[in-house]
Amino acid sequence: MGSFFQQVDEKKLLEDAPALYDWLFDDARFTGTPWDAVSKGRFTKKLKRLEGFGDRTFKRKTNADSYPVIRTKRNRKRTPFALFSCDGSEGQEFVRHVRNAIAHGQVEIYMVNGKAYAELRDFGKYGQTSYIAMPVGYLDSIYRIYREVEVGKTNNQKGRHQ
């Protein structure tokens, strides 16, 4: 059907794809003044509040967990789910895995009840490092959450110094 970028463009799946791509492919997105441990924690908590995500469906991989097999068209994930390796902030690592999956062409878009979903997989040196299934529109939501936390933290810091 075409690449992720082509499908997003042709089907108009994202509100502001160019701004989202600029942010997603910026390696410094979680560095700088506002991105301390508190801000990263706030970002992660807000991600887990996206409909369908939570402690059981948005989690770090443990030795007991295994990544889901690639789904057949009839058996694809119909609810958001994220399982990923993580060495630091869950939110930051989640975004890294999403970025890597898109950059390396490991995304498949499919429809569930008229809604576009993405199945994203990331791989590292020793095998798979993430499996994420979510509505494509969540990319817009994730970017909005990032901006809210960034702006909120910056405004709080300005207010303390005045």
Side-chain angles (χ1 to χ4, degrees), residues 59-67 83:
K59 61 184 189 167
R60 296 174 181 245
K61 185 180 182 303
T62 66
N63 289 337
D65 297 317
S66 60
Y67 294 112
L83 178 63

Side-chain angles (χ1 to χ4, degrees), residues 75-107:
N75 197 21
R76 288 201 171 127
K77 208 76 168 131
R78 290 174 160 26
T79 57
F81 180 81
L83 178 63
F84 51 96
S85 63
C86 184
D87 292 331
S89 161
E90 286 182 32
Q92 182 177 357
E93 292 291 307
F94 173 80
V95 170
R96 181 179 62 84
H97 287 298
V98 168
R99 176 242 177 254
N100 288 348
I102 292 170
H104 298 290
Q106 295 294 325
V107 181

